[in-house]
Amino acid sequence: MSNAILDIHDKPKTGQWISLSLQHMFAMFGATILVPQLVGLSPAIALLTSGIATIIFVLITQFKVPAYLGSSFAFIVPIQIATETGGIGSAMIGAMFVSLVYALVSLIIWKTGYKWLMKLLPPIVVGPVIIVIGLALSGTAVDMAMNIPTADGGSEYSLLHFSAALVTLATAIICNIYFKNIISLMPILIGIIAGYAYSTLIGIIDFAPVAAASWFQVPEFLLPGIDYSFQVTPTLLFVMVPIAIVTISEHIGHQLVLGKIVDRNYIKDPGLHRSILGDGIGTFISSLVGGPPKTTYGENIGVLAITKVFSVYVILGAAVFAILFSFFGKLMAVIDTIPTAVLGGISILLFGIIASSGLRMLVDNGIDFGNNRNLVISSVILVIGIGGAKLEFSESFAIEGMALAAIVGVILNLILPGLEKQELDDGTE
């Protein structure tokens, strides 16, 4: 079975179990806490819900899929837009509806198979939308890296803070390029640690909140009906829900890659419907208590590939550690003191990688841009998404940005002549 050291249902010895699970937790740690930092959510809740969502996912997939669920970067801009228009609770409601889309897609796949999904979401649509997600965030990353807030509510350039961003970025690049072991899979975490250490040396961190924090602290929950009113608007739905186009495609890609690594066909068993449902329920539970939407993590798939340890119990151990760490008040306080410049530095790399992964999808699938059909679809998606186009029907109903780009991309792909039959390489002969 792909030269597995520990196969799917093998249980490691206690000491080995702890070390292997911690390794998986740290692989996802940097990215999972970065998302809530960028959108105004609690890192502690993000950690807690990542662990809970992973356990739910493993249960729904019948202990057959060793995948870890962390915070999804695809929803950063939609959450920011939803928060600006209706508060952070609005974003949580939108995420709940995204999970309902997952459940509906799962049900349809269960009854009809998955081929229709590949026709609806081919690479020529998903690739450019992923590029939009990365590039739409580029201005935010650079602003965070270079500028600091001023008393009048504006911002000003700071070379000192920008130097912290550059140290963070350089460290992450070095880890990713010059190391080929487990370190190469944790460039975000290591970059943030290096940037934090440098920020300490140049004196731009206030440690007072860390000293004041308790060792044990319950994560800050955000509950509907208690912390915010439950109000659904058409704009909210059209900001959040269309991003499922990307995340479902990402999910399928992860299941295919993971299946090749562990020598199993996850599209067939336990089935794509189960894994998508697990992703959806994990997202629903997360948003119900104030956490960001969830997605399977490529970082942890990389850890599986390197270590050849495929045990689902190791993944469950990582989930338990994430839950325990979320109650570690001092650690959460340290995370809250991470300078914006450090987050900006790591975001420059991370958002660029997101955009580049969309480009890679187009290259890997041999998309021919000599074909005018492909050229038109990708061009329209890119300009609408990055340009921030908006369809505003009223003050309370508008579709904009990457959500509009995704919808237009799907429609163009379906109505333009020359639609080719899409086939998914699911590993079957």
Side-chain angles (χ1 to χ4, degrees):
M1 302 297 292
S2 299
N3 300 315
I5 294 176
L6 288 174
D7 209 358
I8 302 296
H9 296 118
D10 293 340
K11 291 184 179 180
K13 296 179 181 179
T14 303
Q16 187 183 33
W17 196 342
I18 292 173
S19 62
L20 291 171
S21 292
L22 282 172
Q23 187 170 254
H24 269 285
M25 193 204 72
F26 285 122
M28 67 81 193
F29 193 91
T32 291
I33 64 169
L34 179 58
V35 173
Q37 289 285 85
L38 295 176
V39 300
L41 293 172
S42 163
I45 283 292
L47 269 184
L48 175 66
T49 54
S50 76
I52 293 172
T54 298
I55 293 172
I56 290 171
F57 181 87
V58 170
L59 290 172
I60 291 177
T61 55
Q62 303 173 323
F63 284 77
K64 294 179 180 179
V65 185
Y68 194 94
L69 271 62
S71 306
S72 173
F73 281 85
F75 287 95
I76 292 176
V77 172
I79 289 176
Q80 291 172 339
I81 294 173
T83 301
E84 289 173 1
T85 57
I88 193 65
S90 179
M92 295 299 95
I93 294 170
M96 292 180 201
F97 276 92
V98 169
S99 67
L100 295 180
V101 172
Y102 277 73
L104 178 61
V105 170
S106 173
L107 177 62
I108 297 174
I109 291 175
W110 179 44
K111 292 296 184 181
T112 66
Y114 55 80
K115 297 293 185 181
W116 65 272
L117 187 60
M118 304 316 296
K119 182 177 181 180
L120 187 66
L121 305 176
I124 187 56
V125 172
V126 177
V129 172
I130 293 176
I131 294 174
V132 166
I133 290 173
L135 295 184
L137 291 163
S138 59
T140 299
V142 172
D143 181 68
M144 291 170 62
M146 295 193 310
N147 301 321
I148 57 173
T150 57
D152 60 0
S155 63
E156 65 180 12
Y157 177 82
S158 170
L159 180 58
L160 186 65
H161 285 72
F162 192 32
S163 69
L166 294 177
V167 168
T168 305
L169 176 60
T171 303
I173 291 173
I174 290 170
C175 289
N176 189 257
I177 298 297
Y178 293 101
F179 290 87
K180 300 302 179 185
N181 52 22
I182 197 69
I183 293 177
S184 68
L185 296 170
M186 296 188 285
I188 298 171
L189 177 62
I190 297 173
I192 289 175
I193 292 173
Y196 193 88
Y198 175 78
S199 298
T200 301
L201 291 176
I202 62 176
I204 62 173
I205 298 178
D206 177 13
F207 288 102
V210 179
S214 59
W215 287 100
F216 176 84
Q217 184 172 319
V218 176
E220 184 180 346
F221 293 94
L222 193 62
L223 304 173
I226 298 176
D227 298 299
Y228 60 88
S229 59
F230 197 97
Q231 184 177 2
V232 181
T233 64
T235 297
L236 170 63
L237 297 181
F238 279 101
V239 164
M240 297 286 290
V241 171
I243 308 305
I245 292 173
V246 175
T247 52
I248 289 176
S249 300
E250 178 185 44
H251 176 92
I252 295 171
H254 282 169
Q255 293 305 295
L256 290 172
V257 171
L258 182 58
K260 290 177 181 177
I261 290 173
V262 305
D263 196 21
R264 282 167 171 80
N265 187 339
Y266 286 137
I267 303 299
K268 297 291 186 182
D269 182 28
L272 190 58
H273 63 289
R274 282 186 177 274
S275 61
I276 289 179
L277 181 62
D279 213 337
I281 294 180
T283 292
F284 182 81
I285 296 299
S286 177
S287 56
L288 190 63
V289 297
K294 300 297 184 243
T295 185
T296 48
Y297 257 27
E299 291 92 333
N300 296 90
I301 295 175
V303 172
L304 292 173
I306 285 180
T307 62
K308 302 295 182 183
V309 174
F310 307 145
S311 173
V312 72
Y313 297 102
V314 170
I315 297 294
L316 288 172
V320 171
F321 277 123
I323 293 171
L324 293 176
F325 269 57
S326 71
F327 289 89
F328 188 7
K330 292 286 187 184
L331 175 62
M332 294 303 110
V334 169
I335 291 172
D336 284 337
T337 62
I338 297 175
T340 301
V342 171
L343 298 177
I346 203 66
S347 296
I348 289 174
L349 176 63
L350 197 57
F351 298 160
I353 288 176
I354 292 172
S356 298
S357 66
L359 182 60
R360 179 178 178 177
M361 175 180 284
L362 297 173
V363 173
D364 289 347
N365 287 275
I367 301 300
D368 178 16
F369 283 99
N371 183 324
N372 285 339
R373 183 181 190 277
N374 293 334
L375 192 63
V376 166
I377 293 174
S378 60
S379 299
V380 171
I381 291 175
L382 290 172
V383 174
I384 287 179
I386 298 173
K390 178 191 295 187
L391 278 179
E392 187 170 332
F393 300 97
S394 67
E395 291 186 2
S396 61
F397 182 22
I399 311 172
E400 60 184 297
M402 65 180 69
L404 179 59
I407 293 171
V408 170
V410 169
I411 293 173
L412 285 177
N413 179 64
L414 294 176
I415 66 174
L416 292 180
L419 177 64
E420 296 179 359
K421 183 180 180 182
Q422 301 292 328
E423 294 292 342
L424 174 65
D425 180 9
D426 57 15
T428 56
E429 297 295 336

